[in-house]
Amino acid sequence: MTVSDAELLVEVTGPVATVVIHNPARRNAMTTGMWRRLPELLDGLEADPAVRALVLTGAGGTFCAGADLGDLDELLDAGDASIAVAAEERLAAFAKPTVAAVRGACVGGGCQLAVACDLRVATVDARFGVPPARLGLVYPAPTTRRLAGLVGPAAAKHLLFTAELIDAERALRVGLVDEVLPVDLLAARVDELTAAMVARSQLSVAAAKEIVDGRADDDRIAWWHGQVRASGEAREGVAAFHERRPARFGWTPPAPR
């Protein structure tokens, strides 16, 4: 792969895909090209049956310092229909578990992407911020609602009203991140989390993600229960429990019609 100055890099190791935000000259800021590339990239990884989990991280010691302000006019003109919001929504809708592995700055568009992941694991040197009020911008409505749903209205208002950076420990207290670790333990913990996810029943994981995210209506929930009955996943899980062995789950999503 030829690495440009600003690019999204992908590495697949076994069942885990890692997407790396790479724009070192601008602290991994997302350019318009990178925002446009992300949904297409996610489409391919979601369609790959070998991929069971996704990690999003930044190159070097920074997650993402936000959207590249050199592309501001295009983002302003589009409002909530911007390519940044489209990329965020595609990430949030990714059918497999997603983990943001955060070091250093996670600001603006970087925070937008991290919040769109299912889990966020950060190092002690991570810093989080939502800066639109400092720039005279309106944070996109879907992004604002997702942030408030994660941390609650009061913490979301603090981030939005003040544009202050908060450290990893405060981010943990308000629910913005799930774990805070020393820098040298981040990679191992992310590997441990994703290994657990990919070893579980993918039927259970996929159903849980849809239901938690509010994307499963009554008919869809009934469909999921039908998948349990038809797949044999529960019988295998119970048998493995009684036999004290790892379960050999085999369910895979049906091919789209």
Side-chain angles (χ1 to χ4, degrees):
M1 179 182 292
T2 300
V3 180
S4 66
D5 287 339
E7 183 59 280
L8 297 174
L9 308 178
V10 183
E11 178 183 350
V12 179
T13 303
V16 180
T18 300
V19 176
V20 181
I21 304 167
H22 181 275
N23 186 4
R26 294 184 176 272
R27 298 170 64 217
N28 295 335
M30 291 283 291
T31 65
T32 54
M34 295 163 78
W35 288 118
R36 287 196 181 97
R37 170 69 175 139
L38 185 57
E40 174 189 346
L41 186 156
L42 294 173
D43 287 345
L45 293 173
E46 187 176 276
D48 185 347
V51 172
R52 291 188 166 196
L54 175 79
V55 176
L56 180 67
T57 194
T62 299
F63 183 76
C64 174
D68 190 327
L69 295 181
D71 302 324
L72 182 61
D73 287 344
E74 181 170 346
L75 296 175
L76 285 178
D77 290 344
D80 281 1
S82 75
I83 54 175
V85 174
E88 172 198 355
E89 292 294 297
R90 182 64 188 89
L91 177 59
F94 193 73
K96 303 166 186 182
T98 56
V99 180
V102 180
R103 282 194 61 190
C106 181
V107 180
C111 198
Q112 184 176 357
L113 291 173
V115 169
C117 291
D118 296 314
L119 299 175
R120 285 148 296 281
V121 182
T123 55
V124 293
D125 65 346
R127 297 293 181 270
F128 300 83
V130 183
R134 184 176 293 154
L135 301 170
L137 304 174
V138 173
Y139 211 39
T143 311
T144 301
R145 295 186 186 109
R146 181 168 287 115
L147 175 66
L150 181 65
V151 304
K157 287 174 181 177
H158 169 259
L159 289 165
L160 289 161
F161 293 177
T162 68
E164 289 180 345
L165 292 180
I166 63 171
D167 62 19
E169 289 300 329
R170 181 163 184 173
L172 180 64
R173 289 198 303 273
V174 301
L176 185 56
V177 299
D178 302 289
E179 298 183 35
V180 175
L181 302 161
V183 171
D184 60 347
L185 297 184
L186 178 65
R189 179 55 179 151
V190 170
D191 287 348
E192 184 178 43
L193 277 173
T194 54
M197 292 173 184
V198 302
R200 307 305 183 223
S201 167
Q202 296 307 290
L203 190 162
S204 299
V205 171
K209 179 163 180 171
E210 278 195 12
I211 294 167
V212 170
D213 289 349
R215 293 185 285 111
D217 59 15
D218 289 346
D219 289 341
R220 182 66 172 176
I221 293 170
W223 181 87
W224 280 118
H225 287 300
Q227 288 290 296
V228 172
R229 291 190 295 271
S231 67
E233 291 282 276
R235 285 187 290 274
E236 167 58 18
V238 172
F241 175 79
H242 287 304
E243 295 166 16
R244 299 185 178 182
R245 60 168 174 83
R248 296 183 289 270
F249 294 117
W251 180 87
T252 55
R257 295 181 179 178

